[in-house]
Amino acid sequence: KCRGGGDEFGLLRCNPPGENVVQVTNVSPSTTSEQMRTLFGFLGTIEELKLFPPDDSPMPVTSRVCFVKFQEPESVGVSQHLTNTVFVDRALIVVPFAEDDYALFIC
């Protein structure tokens, strides 16, 4: 269940809690959603993956942020081991993501 109509970017705070979600920062601007899905898919079943700005974004991109929602909460801990792994041309930073017990999604 989503609350409200979203902000200017279409972001909504949705239920359930985000205990299965990681935030990946310092993502190279040339990285695609499919590359991120392949990388994190080795660590667990991905329920949802969102890359910001999206692959088809018309605006110039200097860095990207990715949110990965796993089916299993155990995958969150495992995925944190990718922190400082150089992917494409940048060292990724992977942290668990939860904000007021609501996960971040595009609905």
Side-chain angles (χ1 to χ4, degrees), residues 11-91:
L11 300 178
L12 297 175
R13 304 292 177 219
C14 303
N15 213 2
E19 70 258 4
N20 295 358
V21 180
V22 293
Q23 177 184 27
V24 187
T25 56
N26 201 37
V27 177
S28 174
S30 63
T31 301
T32 65
S33 296
E34 194 56 39
Q35 289 172 317
M36 295 300 285
R37 187 173 295 282
T38 299
L39 177 65
F40 284 90
F42 287 109
L43 306 176
T45 304
I46 296 173
E47 225 173 88
E48 189 169 7
L49 183 142
K50 297 290 181 181
L51 185 64
F52 298 99
D55 294 334
D56 58 355
S57 175
M59 64 181 150
V61 178
T62 58
S63 185
R64 288 196 147 117
V65 175
C66 186
F67 293 92
V68 182
K69 181 179 181 185
F70 291 102
Q71 245 178 19
E72 310 84 12
E74 299 80 21
S75 298
V76 170
V78 174
S79 67
Q80 289 178 75
H81 290 284
L82 286 180
T83 294
N84 291 325
T85 297
V86 176
F87 188 66
V88 181
D89 62 355
R90 298 202 182 169

